[in-house]
Amino acid sequence: MITTTHRVWKYGADVNTDVIFPGKYTYTIDSDPAELARHALEDLDPGFASAVSPGDVIVAGSNWGNGSSREQAVTCLQAAGVHAVIASSFARIYFRNAINSGLLVIECPAIVEAVDSGDTIELDLEAAAIHFAGRTYLFPKLPDQVRAIVEAGGIIAYLKQQT
Amino acid sequence: MQTLTEKLLARASQRDHVKPGDIVVVAPDVVLSHDNTVAIAAIFRQLPQEKVRFPERLAITLDHAVPPPTPAHARNHARIREFVREQGIKNFFEVGRGICHQVLCEEGIVGPGMTLLGADSHSPHYGWLGAFSAGIGRSEVAALWATGQLWLRVPETISITLAGALRTGVTAKDLTLSLIGKLSSAGANYMAVEFDGAGLAGLSSDSRAVLTNMMAEMGAKNACMAPDAVTWHWLRETLRRTRPHDHEERLEFFRDHALHPDPEARHAARHTVDLREIEPMVSCPHRVDNALPLSALGQTAVDVGFIGTCTNGRLEDIAAAADVLRGRRLRKRLLVIPASSLVLRDAAETGYISDLIEAGATIGTPGCGPCMGVHMGALAPGEICISSANRNFRGRMGQPEAEIYLSSPAVVAASCLAGKLTHPADLLDESQARG
């Protein structure tokens, strides 16, 4: 059993991509990780970008990432060192973008109820389980075809493997 | 027995039959990108192949920041033109032609029975023509450029049957805000929405596009409706103008390709909406599903109005605003941006643009305008905007300390006349009271 340990940043339901990564930057900030990380969650939690540490996870309510299809709403979190987003549910395009960029996304409503900002959780991907405060929370595994993309590190890395 | 969405996805994945939950590999007819094309090209260049596999399937518009507001945006456009040349892409539409979703419909690039995947969240738009269309991310578009294929999960379908007719002064936008308010911004997450019913038959082509476009704000993967007499009339009249040399062949291609749902198809949920019961609606800050009847909002002051976007920037929308403003003088700033150059031309020829200018409105270059806060109407801290766009998220129009209300174009126009949220019918009352 391999578990990893992560500090939690907790947010509510229906967090949209405009507050995760503002639209005004979408055509000028794209690939520079430092710039992406600087604006992560800018209009949701202005303190996040300067205080987040590599390996931290975001835990949020339902419909995380609704709104625009901009991929920076995923890549800005990766640039900031976020290990995974755990939510009650995800907006459709965000879910696809995360998989296709290799960001771990986990649907687990029960853990969302249980944790708060600053808590520490343990993640066991093999068992599809999260451990917190003596309890275990299971989450559904992705379909095989889709998991292959995440495991490759995203759809581009996956295609490179295929060629 | 399949829904329209299932039939379209079965065709796109070369299967006889699909069902919700199936993971299928589809080969879309059209792959859309816009000002984000450079970012996608950067991802594409990480792959070993140099050329796009099927350049004839790509469609690229410059629309999100047009004309370019800064040298950085101008350089972005220049790089897109370079990519278009280098890859031999024919379906490229320059600054000023209009918003991707409007332009691709007008140009007959997407039509009944076809499939589009686009790097834009309002890609469900094309369902009003009886197409399957969905928004995807940039990396996925790069993968599509390389392979022509992408995985999709076949969605469950929500059926919405429309009965009756909208009352005077009530629009398709009010219907969508009412639906999103009831079912929530995640009400159709991962799902398809299909419209039908006698009430749909009575809606204009411009209104139908509002329905499928706005379902993005309910989380839908795609939204669609079967083509009918209204669809065919619009296609015939529009293609005659945009494709004078091959409009008949294109129409025949669409007729051969059109699909219709089976009457006994299974749905995850069914709703019936009596259009007579829909009221003028407004989405309040900072959520689209925070939708309330205009009549319940009382005195809400506004500073500025915006009419435009892929949601409500068509001729019907500009006509509605002109009808409200004709012979009157705006009290508040109003920006009007037609969704395409064709819409702008029609609005000029019919005299609507003159009506708007005489009332004191500003007309912008066809494109997305200030919808996502890039330029041409960004808000100042504390300003309150009434907009015909599709999103009112905090910071959407460039300023987190501003507030955005969403409504139909007629309500935007009336509100900018009165300086507060107002329905056009109440303006008439005021003038009669004075008279």
Side-chain angles (χ1 to χ4, degrees):
Chain A
M1 188 178 82
I2 305 162
T3 61
T4 49
T5 302
H6 309 279
R7 180 173 64 148
V8 168
W9 292 77
K10 175 81 183 283
Y11 299 103
D14 293 304
V15 172
N16 65 68
T17 53
D18 277 309
V19 296
I20 299 173
F21 189 83
K24 60 191 167 198
Y25 305 128
T26 50
Y27 304 115
T28 44
I29 300 177
D30 186 56
S31 52
D32 177 358
E35 273 290 307
L36 282 166
R38 187 174 308 137
H39 298 291
L41 306 192
E42 183 168 290
D43 285 345
L44 175 70
D45 178 357
F48 174 83
S50 55
V52 65
S53 302
D56 288 357
V57 295
I58 287 171
V59 178
S62 58
N63 204 23
W64 171 271
N66 71 97
S68 154
S69 63
R70 70 185 67 117
E71 219 154 282
Q72 295 102 317
V74 170
T75 54
C76 74
L77 299 184
Q78 292 177 299
V82 170
H83 180 74
V85 181
I86 301 164
S88 303
S89 68
F90 292 87
R92 190 189 74 83
I93 299 179
Y94 195 94
F95 190 72
R96 293 186 68 93
N97 280 345
I99 287 165
N100 291 320
S101 299
L103 172 67
L104 192 55
V105 277
I106 294 170
E107 282 197 351
C108 186
I111 189 76
V112 176
E113 307 273 305
V115 298
D116 252 314
S117 280
D119 287 343
T120 299
I121 59 163
E122 287 182 14
L123 186 57
D124 179 353
L125 277 185
E126 201 66 29
I130 298 166
H131 306 289
F132 173 67
R135 280 194 58 189
T136 296
Y137 302 83
L138 298 176
F139 55 86
K141 287 185 176 173
L142 294 169
D144 286 348
Q145 296 109 308
V146 177
R147 206 170 56 177
I149 296 172
V150 186
E151 282 172 2
I155 195 161
I156 296 301
Y158 176 78
L159 284 178
K160 280 190 198 162
Q161 282 180 4
Q162 305 286 302
T163 47
Chain B
M1 294 296 112
Q2 296 183 95
T3 65
L4 178 55
T5 298
E6 288 157 14
K7 284 192 174 180
L8 289 160
L9 285 179
R11 172 182 282 165
S13 59
Q14 294 187 299
R15 292 182 180 210
D16 296 330
H17 187 271
V18 299
K19 60 178 191 309
D22 288 352
I23 303 268
V24 295
V25 176
V26 300
D29 299 297
V30 181
V31 180
L32 161 76
S33 58
H34 43 65
D35 295 43
N36 55 18
T37 300
V38 167
I40 298 166
I43 301 168
F44 178 70
R45 288 196 185 102
Q46 294 171 25
L47 293 168
Q49 75 189 79
E50 283 177 9
K51 288 285 182 184
V52 169
R53 179 105 185 255
F54 303 105
E56 70 280 8
R57 295 185 194 169
L58 270 61
I60 297 173
T61 55
L62 297 183
D63 56 7
H64 273 58
V66 294
T70 68
H73 288 89
R75 191 175 57 213
N76 183 50
H77 287 173
R79 285 178 176 160
I80 293 172
R81 290 184 193 101
E82 200 175 306
F83 176 81
V84 162
R85 265 195 306 276
E86 166 194 304
Q87 297 287 341
I89 292 156
K90 293 202 176 64
N91 289 325
F92 170 64
F93 300 97
E94 263 291 356
V95 169
R97 177 63 185 88
I99 306 170
C100 51
H101 306 310
Q102 181 66 16
V103 173
L104 267 54
C105 291
E106 289 175 357
E107 297 280 343
I109 289 168
V110 182
M114 293 179 71
T115 308
L116 171 142
L117 293 175
D120 186 274
S121 56
H122 289 100
S123 294
H125 186 91
Y126 305 86
W128 82 269
L129 289 169
F132 174 92
S133 57
I136 56 172
R138 295 174 179 185
S139 296
E140 301 189 282
V141 172
L144 270 172
W145 288 356
T147 66
Q149 297 182 330
L150 190 67
W151 67 275
L152 286 181
R153 182 184 163 280
V154 178
E156 286 81 13
T157 296
I158 298 176
S159 161
I160 299 181
T161 300
L162 305 179
L166 293 166
R167 290 178 289 128
T168 306
V170 184
T171 69
K173 181 63 161 295
D174 301 302
L175 168 61
T176 61
L177 296 182
S178 165
L179 280 171
I180 296 163
K182 280 200 184 91
L183 300 178
S184 94
S185 62
N189 198 11
Y190 304 126
M191 298 169 95
V193 177
E194 294 193 7
F195 293 94
D196 66 8
L200 178 63
L203 289 182
S204 70
S205 48
D206 282 1
S207 290
R208 292 170 180 209
V210 179
L211 297 191
T212 51
N213 180 285
M214 279 299 284
M215 289 303 99
E217 303 312 320
M218 214 158 81
K221 176 178 217 141
N222 71 299
C224 59
M225 55 188 73
D228 67 4
V230 171
T231 324
W232 294 116
H233 176 79
W234 185 87
L235 280 168
R236 198 166 47 244
E237 295 305 312
T238 308
L239 299 191
R240 194 175 281 166
R241 301 173 68 191
T242 55
R243 304 173 71 120
H245 304 299
D246 72 345
H247 61 101
E248 282 168 4
E249 293 96 305
R250 194 61 177 165
L251 203 61
E252 201 174 310
F253 172 82
F254 286 153
R255 284 205 189 274
D256 290 343
H257 264 65
L259 290 171
H260 296 264
D262 292 321
E264 293 90 35
R266 292 171 64 97
H267 299 102
R270 285 169 187 268
H271 302 279
T272 300
V273 179
D274 187 341
L275 296 181
R276 285 164 294 204
E277 289 172 9
I278 301 297
E279 285 186 66
M281 299 290 292
V282 174
S283 282
C284 301
H286 296 283
R287 299 170 57 121
V288 184
D289 59 4
N290 187 16
L292 295 168
L294 174 58
S295 58
L297 282 170
Q299 303 280 327
T300 305
V302 303
D303 299 306
V304 58
F306 169 44
I307 293 173
T309 77
C310 54
T311 301
N312 273 126
R314 281 171 287 279
L315 190 64
E316 179 176 280
D317 306 314
I318 292 170
D323 288 345
V324 172
L325 296 179
R326 195 170 297 116
R328 291 174 155 130
R329 193 69 202 163
L330 281 160
R331 195 174 297 180
K332 299 291 176 180
R333 286 165 287 147
L334 173 63
L335 172 65
V336 180
I337 301 186
S340 75
S341 56
L342 207 61
V343 171
L344 172 57
R345 193 179 135 186
D346 289 345
E349 284 177 0
T350 46
Y352 298 141
I353 295 291
S354 302
D355 295 333
L356 297 174
I357 291 171
E358 277 167 26
T362 305
I363 311 296
T365 305
C368 304
C371 181
M372 88 304 301
V374 178
H375 75 142
M376 235 168 32
L379 301 178
E383 279 191 330
I384 300 170
C385 178
I386 175 79
S387 165
S388 79
N390 40 57
R391 292 199 177 120
N392 57 351
F393 302 153
R394 187 184 294 281
R396 174 74 180 176
M397 293 175 76
Q399 172 47 252
E401 301 310 320
E403 293 192 342
I404 307 166
Y405 290 82
L406 304 176
S407 73
S408 71
V411 168
V412 174
S415 302
C416 290
L417 278 175
K420 59 183 174 37
L421 291 183
T422 303
H423 191 269
D426 298 325
L427 288 171
L428 286 176
D429 290 344
E430 269 181 30
S431 66
Q432 278 157 1
R434 275 200 307 272

